Amino acid sequence: VINKDQFIDFQNVLEGKQTAASADLEELERVSRNEDAQESSEDRSAYSLHMADRGTDAMEREKNMLFAQREGEYIKSVDEALQRIEDGTFGICRICGGEIGRARLEAVPTATQCISCKSKRDQESDAE
């Protein structure tokens, strides 16, 4: 069972992860804005960039958007974990209602399922 001090420890860890993920997201957005500004200021004649360069630039923009989306989803899961701490439901499996082990929470502080339920769900998805 997780005690009050451990809740505070997890809250501190989650807040640190939230800060780091927010900083990463801001950096991705800053890089994206700079690339967009640089692209719009370049000469856009038909021969200004080689087609392969344009493809690479497009791929980099897509990759940055994917990373930004993942960071946004991670921030959301951290926010939800912090809310569960507030609600007193942190560390309780959403599937079976049992306790999520401390070791699992230390490895994945945003976990919403105990290792047993998570393993079952993973096996079910592998079978499909």
Side-chain angles (χ1 to χ4, degrees):
V1 177
I2 298 174
N3 65 36
K4 186 175 181 170
D5 289 338
Q6 292 169 332
F7 274 123
I8 292 170
D9 290 344
F10 281 115
Q11 184 172 11
N12 290 335
V13 167
L14 286 163
E15 287 171 349
K17 289 185 178 293
Q18 182 182 47
T19 300
S22 294
D24 290 347
L25 183 58
E26 286 177 20
E27 178 65 13
L28 285 168
E29 289 173 349
R30 185 190 65 76
V31 167
S32 179
R33 282 192 304 270
N34 285 345
E35 288 174 355
D36 290 345
Q38 182 180 14
E39 184 177 296
S40 65
S41 68
E42 290 177 356
D43 177 22
R44 284 299 177 202
S45 69
Y47 303 105
S48 66
L49 285 176
H50 189 276
M51 193 182 319
D53 291 335
R54 288 184 184 175
T56 299
D57 291 344
M59 184 181 73
E60 287 299 315
R61 279 193 303 276
E62 288 235 3
K63 189 168 66 171
N64 280 343
M65 287 187 340
L66 176 64
F67 288 150
Q69 180 183 359
R70 283 185 179 174
E71 282 302 310
E73 290 170 1
Y74 183 69
I75 290 169
K76 183 180 175 188
S77 70
V78 170
D79 289 342
E80 290 171 354
L82 288 167
Q83 185 61 49
R84 288 193 304 276
I85 288 174
E86 289 283 319
D87 297 343
T89 59
F90 182 81
I92 298 172
C93 178
R94 288 186 176 170
I95 306 296
C96 70
E99 183 180 330
I100 300 173
R102 181 175 169 86
R104 173 150 170 76
L105 289 171
E106 286 174 352
V108 185
T110 58
T112 60
Q113 300 170 18
C114 67
I115 196 72
S116 175
C117 290
K118 177 67 173 158
S119 295
K120 286 178 191 172
R121 291 192 78 186
D122 288 347
Q123 287 173 356
E124 289 170 2
S125 351
D126 289 344
E128 292 175 0

